[in-house]
């Protein structure tokens, strides 16, 4: 089984409110993303914090609460990997409403076709950086992530160096993975306004 998780527990400081409550066209971002993930994964989770109460939950979606609070996205990644049933788990932020199911399927295909049985992560690189919140993780990587959190690590990007990762380069994403828009994040009110204008 392929699992997917949407991280929706952040405070959204730059946005001015939790991103779990972002919406467009009468739908919350987590609903839009969950719909996109239906094609790519047999199990969909939404990871929230104790401070987040989702106004509604899409059908066939399970909501789980951070197992480790106050550690940023790493806590969400750890929680997603711990709760997921699939051996491969696609993890993304709740601020990615342009996520393409074809792009997610492509990352899963790369993960599953790699000959290394100990591969922990397939992660795209675009715009000069890698994207740990739009990547496929091996469920077993939860142990490493949990250990790093315990050691004081708080940055998701820094965990990549401790995992056996396969990086998908930008050129490959554009030629075979499709839809670079999948990596667009809505971080600020200005981003949200631009997105709303784009999708009207």
């Amino acid at each position: 089984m392929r699992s997917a998780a949407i991280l929706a527990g952040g405070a959204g400081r730059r946005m001015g409110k939790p991103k779990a409550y972002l919406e467009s066209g009468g739908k919350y971002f987590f609903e839009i993303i969950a719909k996109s993930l239906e094609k790519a994964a047999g199990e969909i989770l939404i990871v929230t914090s104790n401070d987040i109460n989702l106004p509604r939950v899409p059908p066939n979606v399970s909501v789980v609460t951070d197992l480790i609070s106050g550690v940023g996205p790493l806590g969400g990644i750890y929680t997603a990997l711990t709760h997921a049933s699939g051996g491969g788990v696609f993890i993304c932020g709740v601020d990615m409403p342009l996520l393409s199911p074809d792009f997610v399927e492509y990352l899963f295909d790369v993960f599953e076709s790699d000959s290394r049985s100990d591969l922990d992560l397939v992660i795209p690189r675009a715009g000069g950086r890698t994207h740990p919140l739009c990547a496929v993780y091996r469920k077993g990587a939860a142990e490493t992530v949990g250990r790093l959190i315990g050691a004081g690590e708080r940055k998701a990007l820094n965990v990549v160096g401790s995992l056996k990762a396969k990086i998908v380069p930008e050129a490959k994403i554009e030629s075979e993975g499709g839809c670079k828009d999948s990596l667009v994040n809505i971080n600020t009110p200005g981003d949200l306004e631009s997105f709303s204008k784009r999708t009207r």
Side-chain angles (χ1 to χ4, degrees), residues 95-100 103 126 131 134 170 173-174 177-186 195 198-199:
D95 58 356
M96 307 177 77
L98 296 174
L99 186 68
S100 162
F103 179 68
H131 296 264
C134 188
E170 189 164 6
I173 293 169
E174 291 178 343
C179 199
K180 220 171 88 171
D181 283 349
S182 290
L183 297 171
V184 171
N185 300 101
I186 309 300
F195 170 77
R198 174 177 179 176
T199 54

